[in-house]
């Protein structure tokens, strides 16, 4: 059964305890069977609809879909509709298939892929870098620290709670544990470093032993120790880490008391199949007083080299049909791996590893497949205390293997919010999906919960040509991507919203305690407001942002993303917003910085025109800019000055704020989510998702407006 937008507007559902109900709408004769998941009757006004298919795209009839509101069964075509209380994690299962959990949001059409031949398939989840150290013990933004020296396992597990259902959604879940586990983990960074930590490296930290049990309780089965922070607490820290992991029942690999032990694979059996796990790092610390990597008689992480990689994978394949390699290296905060690390990827691939997982840059990168090997360039952070804006989008990767080959791989988008990983939905999830599907060449596509590697190179679902007028800035709809200009003269330029879609101010995660404005900092009199919302595509967004000043106010009120966005000098940028209401004294600003910290070097601003469109649509405002020389960071601000000379109150209401970095002319790809017309020209757009997974009313390009 498929719900249309009109159905959603007029249908109110009542889930009755102890009663299975059938719903028939119009001439649709399909029956969806419901079972209540709560003991009391509940009024539900939101829903999702979708389809359940296997890895080949074949319908899975009779699949069971469970939401927080109810349990339903898919029809013969795999279609279903289900009540939903809000953005949440839903689970689908079917006999003979691997179950799957993924995020969904109200009024969304979802596709859920259940891998077939469950008895012959092993599913593996991969997460990024994990630590619970340093800033976890420090107050921030007026809030108490997340952890203290007396924090329990439950306190640590709370940090992972939002993603625990996803971590448990596999036969085997593996992350990179980038910290030693020690009994006295925190020290004041303003004071001399304790002798128990590495004497010379620039950053050294530790996490409490409770971290291990929290990971285990949250669904993590194995951890790589092959990284540049495992040895931060030297030999005692290495010993305590291994002992603590053993006590928690977590498999570990990638480090040891000597290099042979560090390279020894961990062999686990899941779903009747053996999996060998290997890990290593290219960040060796040989320029330090104490290296980070193991030697013949020295403890530490395994050091990556191509010969050792080939030999280790070949030896592991004699012990297990499936080999996983986690490689830690490259340059921090860059999505594309270095030639050195890619050579290691290639060595692991050629030696026969089925999954090669990169890490260390702390930002997510692309996924691809080479023969029988799935490669993730960089997994970014899962649990980490970094404040750089580019580290906030993340994802979990799931790889399903059968007979020594991947049969389906997919990405579940996350958002890191105050050092917590939270499953993402909406534009924020789409941003993570585009990074995964578009950062590197290959067959990765937009689809599923975020991005996926299909089992074949079947042609895309649809290709369309769309006119983009001069001056138009339009968002590319989920599932679609810009492949290039359709006319010889070009005229359509692609770009990326550096704010990752957070400037829509919608609630874009499954955390029920948040209500929008994710990853934004609001002044005392700035608020998320339904009255500030603007039309988006052929529908209406739920909320925008509103700034208020009264006659007694003495200071400006502002709203800004929580952290700066890193850029390059001379980069072409555009800041846009849809303006619903603006009193005198309202400005849109770009503040430029030499680096991620320190005072601003320059401000580029535009005074917003006095506007009141409360009874009609919104007005697009565009600020084009080129990053100044020596500027390596930028941060947008909405600002409203207080009234002067006893004037009446002032108000600023906006929606859909984006900071767009433009790609070179003629460049396209899945990573871009915005296009702009410089001539009255035509762009070619490709739909990755099958048309059965989209509503007919879904636009290809959204929020068409010209510059004002």
């Amino acid at each position: 059964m498929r719900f249309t937008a009109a159905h959603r507007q007029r249908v109110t559902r009542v889930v009755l305890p102890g009663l299975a109900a059938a719903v028939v709408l119009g001439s649709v004769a399909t029956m969806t069977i419901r079972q209540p998941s709560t003991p009391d009757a509940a009024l539900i006004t939101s829903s999702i609809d979708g389809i359940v298919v296997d890895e080949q795209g074949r319908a899975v009839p009779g699949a069971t879909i469970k939401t927080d509101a109810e349990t339903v069964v898919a029809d013969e075509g795999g279609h279903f509709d289900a009540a939903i209380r809000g953005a949440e994690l839903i689970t689908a299962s079917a006999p003979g298939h691997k179950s799957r959990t993924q995020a969904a949001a109200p009024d969304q059409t979802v596709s859920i892929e259940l891998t077939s031949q469950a008895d012959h398939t092993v599913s593996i989840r991969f997460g990024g870098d994990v630590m619970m150290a340093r800033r976890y013990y420090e107050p921030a933004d007026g809030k108490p620290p997340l952890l203290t020296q007396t924090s329990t396992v439950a306190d640590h597990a709370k940090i992972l709670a939002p993603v625990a259902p996803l971590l448990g959604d596999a036969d085997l879940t593996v992350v990179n544990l980038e910290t030693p586990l020690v009994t006295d983990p925190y020290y004041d960074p303003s004071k001399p470093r304790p002798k128990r930590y590495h004497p010379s490296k620039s950053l050294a930290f530790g996490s409490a032993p409770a971290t291990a049990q929290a990971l285990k309780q949250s669904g993590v089965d194995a951890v790589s120790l092959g990284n540049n922070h495992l040895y931060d607490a030297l030999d005692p820290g290495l010993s305590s880490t291994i002992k603590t992991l053993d006590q928690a029942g977590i498999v570990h690999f990638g480090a040891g008391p000597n290099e042979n032990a560090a390279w020894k694979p961990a062999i686990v059996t899941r779903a009747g199949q053996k999996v060998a796990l290997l890990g290593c790092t290219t960040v060796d610390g040989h320029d330090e007083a104490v290296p980070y990597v193991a030697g013949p008689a020295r403890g530490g992480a395994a050091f990556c080299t191509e010969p050792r990689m080939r030999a280790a994978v070949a030896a592991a394949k004699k012990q297990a049909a499936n080999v996983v390699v986690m490689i830690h290296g490259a340059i921090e905060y860059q999505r594309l791996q270095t030639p050195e690390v890619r050579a290691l990827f290639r060595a692991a691939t050629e030696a026969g590893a089925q999954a090669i997982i990169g890490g260390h840059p702390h930002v997510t990168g692309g996924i691809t497949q080479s023969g029988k090997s799935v490669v993730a360039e960089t997994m970014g952070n899962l649990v980490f205390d970094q404040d750089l804006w580019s580290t906030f989008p993340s994802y979990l990767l799931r790889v399903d293997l059968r007979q020594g080959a991947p049969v389906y791989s997919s990405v579940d988008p996350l958002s890191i919010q105050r050092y917590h990983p939270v499953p993402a939905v909406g534009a924020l999830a789409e941003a993570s999906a585009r990074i995964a599907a578009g950062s590197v060449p290959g067959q990765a596509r937009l689809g599923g919960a975020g991005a996926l590697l299909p089992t074949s190179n079947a042609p895309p679902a649809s290709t369309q040509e769309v006119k983009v007028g001069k001056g138009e800035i339009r968002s590319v709809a989920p599932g679609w991507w810009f492949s290039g200009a359709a006319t010889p003269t070009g005229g359509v330029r692609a770009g990326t919203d550096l704010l990752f879609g957070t400037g829509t101010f919608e609630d874009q995660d499954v955390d029920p305690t948040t209500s929008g404005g994710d990853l934004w900092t609001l002044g005392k009199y700035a608020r998320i407001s339904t009255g500030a919302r603007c039309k988006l595509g052929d529908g209406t967004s739920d909320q925008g942002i509103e700034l208020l000043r009264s006659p007694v106010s003495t200071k400006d009120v502002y709203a800004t993303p929580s952290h700066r966005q890193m850029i390059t000098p001379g980069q072409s940028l555009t800041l846009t917003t849809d303006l619903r209401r603006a009193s005198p004294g309202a400005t849109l600003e770009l503040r430029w910085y030499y680096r991620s910290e320190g005072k601003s070097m320059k401000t580029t601003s535009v005074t917003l025109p006095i506007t009141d469109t409360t009874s009609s649509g919104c007005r697009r405002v565009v600020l084009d800019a080129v990053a100044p020389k020596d500027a390596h960071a930028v941060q947008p601000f909405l600002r409203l000055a207080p009234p002067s000379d006893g004037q009446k109150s002032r108000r600023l209401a906006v929606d859909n704020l984006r900071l767009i970095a433009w790609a070179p002319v003629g460049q396209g790809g899945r990573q871009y989510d915005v296009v702009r017309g410089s001539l009255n020209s035509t762009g070619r757009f490709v739909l990755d998702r099958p048309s059965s997974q989209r509503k007919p009313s879904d636009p290809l390009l959204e929020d068409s407006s010209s510059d004002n």
Side-chain angles (χ1 to χ4, degrees):
M1 179 179 294
R2 312 298 303 285
F3 255 26
T4 65
H7 289 145
R8 291 192 180 100
Q9 292 171 3
R10 70 171 184 263
V11 173
T12 298
R13 296 189 151 111
V14 180
V15 179
L16 299 176
L19 179 66
V23 176
V24 178
L25 296 178
S27 61
V28 179
T30 307
M31 180 177 291
T32 296
I33 301 174
R34 297 194 162 72
Q35 297 173 344
S37 59
T38 55
D40 300 319
L43 225 55
I44 306 299
T45 57
S46 296
S47 66
I48 55 171
D49 65 78
I51 185 171
V52 183
V53 297
D54 68 9
E55 72 276 14
Q56 298 290 339
R58 299 169 298 202
V60 181
T64 299
I65 301 93
K66 185 176 181 180
T67 74
D68 286 346
E70 62 176 347
T71 298
V72 302
V73 177
D75 66 17
E76 288 302 313
H79 296 102
F80 69 92
D81 68 84
I84 193 170
R85 301 189 190 283
E88 63 181 60
L89 293 175
I90 65 173
T91 299
S93 59
H97 295 74
K98 292 290 185 181
S99 64
R100 182 174 294 273
T101 298
Q102 66 185 55
D107 301 330
Q108 180 184 21
T109 297
V110 301
S111 172
I112 306 176
E113 287 78 17
L114 302 184
T115 308
S116 63
Q117 301 183 47
D119 291 343
H120 304 286
T121 305
V122 59
S123 58
I124 309 177
R125 281 272 192 194
F126 297 100
D129 299 338
V130 171
M131 58 88 101
M132 297 187 190
R134 212 164 47 179
R135 297 185 184 96
Y136 284 90
Y137 289 87
E138 299 170 355
D141 301 325
K143 298 179 180 179
L146 296 170
L147 297 173
T148 68
Q149 298 281 37
T150 60
S151 289
T152 64
V153 170
D155 296 325
H156 288 74
K158 186 177 180 181
I159 294 169
L160 286 157
V163 296
L166 288 173
L167 294 173
D169 176 34
D171 298 313
L172 177 66
T173 295
V174 190
V175 303
N176 175 54
L177 182 62
E178 195 160 4
T179 177
L181 303 178
V182 293
T183 55
D184 191 13
Y186 181 74
Y187 62 91
D188 187 339
S190 66
K191 297 179 180 179
R193 183 179 297 174
K195 292 183 178 180
R196 64 182 182 275
Y197 283 103
H198 194 287
S200 60
K201 69 180 299 191
S202 58
L203 296 173
F205 48 74
S207 301
T211 304
Q213 192 62 45
L215 287 168
K216 184 67 175 180
Q217 291 183 6
S218 302
V220 174
D221 304 295
V223 297
S224 174
L225 303 178
N227 57 67
N228 62 305
H229 282 289
L230 178 277
Y231 206 63
D232 279 7
L234 307 171
D235 273 328
L238 173 61
S239 298
S240 65
T241 300
I242 291 174
K243 180 180 178 180
T244 301
L245 292 171
D246 288 340
Q247 290 173 341
I250 292 183
V251 175
H252 51 85
F253 56 96
N258 55 63
E259 61 181 337
N260 286 333
W263 271 103
K264 183 179 180 180
I267 309 295
V268 298
T269 301
R270 295 291 189 277
Q273 299 191 43
K274 286 187 176 181
V275 181
L277 304 168
L278 292 163
C280 64
T281 182
T282 66
V283 189
D284 54 26
H286 278 134
D287 56 341
E288 301 283 358
V290 180
Y292 318 147
V293 294
R298 182 185 66 242
F303 176 54
C304 296
T305 66
E306 289 185 57
R308 192 71 190 249
M309 176 66 69
R310 293 180 187 275
V313 172
K317 285 189 71 65
K318 295 178 180 179
Q319 303 179 67
N322 306 289
V323 178
V324 168
V325 178
M326 298 187 74
I327 299 174
H328 194 79
I331 301 173
E332 290 185 315
Y333 316 118
Q334 292 192 12
R335 301 195 189 283
L336 299 181
Q337 283 285 10
T338 61
E340 174 194 22
V341 173
R342 285 187 173 169
L344 291 165
F345 287 167
R346 186 166 55 252
T349 298
E350 292 173 352
Q354 283 79 20
I356 300 96
I357 310 300
H360 180 65
H362 297 295
V363 295
T364 54
I367 60 172
T368 189
Q369 187 167 331
S370 176
K372 294 183 178 181
S373 303
V374 172
V375 179
E377 288 251 308
T378 165
M379 290 295 298
N381 291 336
L382 179 61
V383 180
F384 224 90
D385 71 337
Q386 288 173 312
D387 288 330
L388 284 174
W389 182 263
S390 59
T391 66
F392 296 155
S394 187
Y395 60 71
L396 291 169
L397 171 67
R398 177 168 148 173
V399 179
D400 290 1
L401 301 170
R402 185 186 306 139
Q403 295 178 349
V407 292
Y408 189 80
S409 303
S410 60
V411 158
D412 286 88
L414 307 176
S415 170
I416 309 299
Q417 301 187 31
R418 207 200 167 200
Y419 318 142
H420 287 76
V422 184
V425 296
L428 188 51
E430 183 73 4
S432 287
R434 290 187 180 277
I435 291 169
S439 296
V440 294
Q443 65 269 53
R445 296 183 179 179
L446 302 167
L452 56 89
L453 289 168
T455 55
S456 66
N457 287 320
S462 177
T463 299
Q464 293 186 26
E465 295 183 359
V466 178
K467 290 184 178 180
V468 184
K470 183 178 181 180
E472 284 188 338
I473 298 176
R474 304 179 69 178
S475 296
V476 183
W480 288 92
W481 56 281
F482 173 64
S483 66
T487 55
T489 56
V492 181
R493 192 174 186 182
T496 299
D497 179 12
L498 297 182
L499 303 184
F500 307 125
T502 62
T504 64
F505 306 109
E506 305 301 308
D507 189 9
Q508 301 191 80
D509 59 54
V510 303
D511 184 352
T513 66
T514 63
S515 59
D518 302 317
L519 303 176
W520 277 68
T521 297
L522 308 182
K524 186 176 181 181
Y525 294 98
R527 65 188 185 189
I528 304 299
S529 167
T530 57
R533 65 188 181 186
C534 290
K535 186 176 181 180
L536 183 66
D538 67 347
T540 302
S541 65
D542 291 333
Q543 52 200 19
I545 194 167
E546 195 170 24
L547 279 64
L548 304 171
R549 292 285 71 188
S550 75
V552 298
S553 302
T554 59
K555 296 181 180 180
D556 293 357
V557 65
Y558 68 91
T560 181
S562 298
H563 297 280
R564 301 170 189 175
Q565 294 74 50
M566 304 308 293
I567 53 162
T568 56
Q571 190 170 11
S572 177
L573 302 172
T574 297
L575 183 63
T576 77
T577 194
D578 293 340
L579 182 62
R580 177 165 288 282
R581 184 169 182 176
S583 300
T587 57
L588 185 64
E589 299 178 356
L590 285 173
R591 290 195 172 190
W592 308 96
Y593 303 85
Y594 291 107
R595 54 188 182 275
S596 61
E597 298 178 349
K599 295 182 178 180
S600 61
M601 58 183 287
K602 185 179 179 181
T603 300
T604 302
S605 64
V606 59
T607 300
L608 295 174
I610 299 173
T611 304
D612 189 350
T613 62
T614 54
S615 60
S616 61
C618 290
R619 178 178 182 179
R620 172 70 52 82
V621 177
V622 176
L623 174 60
D624 289 316
V626 175
K629 180 182 179 181
D630 298 328
H632 293 274
V634 66
Q635 191 163 356
F637 283 80
L638 289 163
R639 188 175 297 277
L640 181 64
S644 58
D645 302 327
Q647 294 176 342
K648 62 181 181 179
S649 298
R650 290 180 172 181
R651 178 173 295 175
L652 172 62
V654 305
D655 198 359
N656 304 324
L657 191 143
R658 293 171 297 192
L659 177 61
I660 304 164
W662 297 107
V665 175
Q667 189 165 312
R670 291 176 173 86
Q671 67 269 44
Y672 302 115
D673 53 8
V674 183
V675 292
R676 185 180 201 174
S678 58
L679 300 170
N680 287 317
S681 191
T682 301
R684 183 176 292 110
F685 297 85
V686 179
L687 174 63
D688 277 344
R689 294 190 298 175
S691 57
S692 63
Q693 297 166 23
R694 286 179 56 81
K695 297 184 289 293
S697 60
D698 285 348
L700 189 161
L701 297 178
E702 300 174 335
D703 56 54
S704 173
S705 294
S706 297
D707 299 357
N708 286 290

